[in-house]
């Protein structure tokens, strides 16, 4: 699972932002199931930043967001940006692609709380 968050940071706040981002990376990568975190700055637009954090699963992501220090520091930091979570469907290394089957149910876009028992039709 990927957590991807984009930020717009004025030059006057880049030092404070970098300190907060570094703390968020420290806290998240210390959590079980966190594979890696990458913080980057746009080469074309220096006020644009991105943080990508990879987790082994959705469960690992949710558990990583639970500890008090993460809720105290990381959640407010992520709220500064535009965060989204993505399931990983393909990875590549040395020219080889490993494709994965989606675990999101086919009816995920229409399922609601009343459907909490599970999807009617699993995604194939």
């Amino acid at each position: 699972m990927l957590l991807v968050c984009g930020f717009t940071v004025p030059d006057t706040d880049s030092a404070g932002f970098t300190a907060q981002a570094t703390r968020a990376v420290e806290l998240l990568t210390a959590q079980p199931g966190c594979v890696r975190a990458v913080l980057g700055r746009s080469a074309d637009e220096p006020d644009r930043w991105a943080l990508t954090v990879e987790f082994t699963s959705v469960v690992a992501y949710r558990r990583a967001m639970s500890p008090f220090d993460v809720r105290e520091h990381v959640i407010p930091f992520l709220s500064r940006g535009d965060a989204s979570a993505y399931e990983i469907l393909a990875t590549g290394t040395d020219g080889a692609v490993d494709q994965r089957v989606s675990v999101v149910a086919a009816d995920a876009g229409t399922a609601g709380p009343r459907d909490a028992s599970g999807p009617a039709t699993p995604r194939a």
Side-chain angles (χ1 to χ4, degrees), residues 38-76:
V38 178
L39 176 67
R41 188 176 194 175
S42 171
D44 299 322
E45 299 176 60
D47 65 336
R48 297 290 300 149
W49 294 72
L51 174 66
T52 303
V53 186
E54 183 179 348
F55 297 91
T56 56
S57 66
V58 172
V59 172
Y61 161 72
R62 289 185 177 156
R63 287 185 179 153
M65 294 298 171
S66 296
F68 179 78
D69 54 350
V70 171
R71 287 181 286 139
E72 181 181 27
H73 297 285
V74 177
I75 302 299

Side-chain angles (χ1 to χ4, degrees), residues 20-30 34 37-39 51 53 74:
Q20 287 182 326
T22 300
R23 180 69 175 140
V25 167
E26 288 170 350
L27 290 168
L28 289 172
T29 56
C34 183
V38 178
L39 176 67
L51 174 66
V53 186
V74 177

Side-chain angles (χ1 to χ4, degrees), residues 8-28:
T8 301
V9 181
D11 246 2
T12 56
D13 189 30
S14 64
F17 174 81
T18 303
Q20 287 182 326
T22 300
R23 180 69 175 140
V25 167
E26 288 170 350
L27 290 168
L28 289 172

Side-chain angles (χ1 to χ4, degrees), residues 2-3 7 10 27 39 64-65 68 81-82 91 93 95 110:
L2 290 176
L3 168 65
F7 301 91
L27 290 168
L39 176 67
M65 294 298 171
F68 179 78
D82 179 22
T91 58
T93 306
T110 60

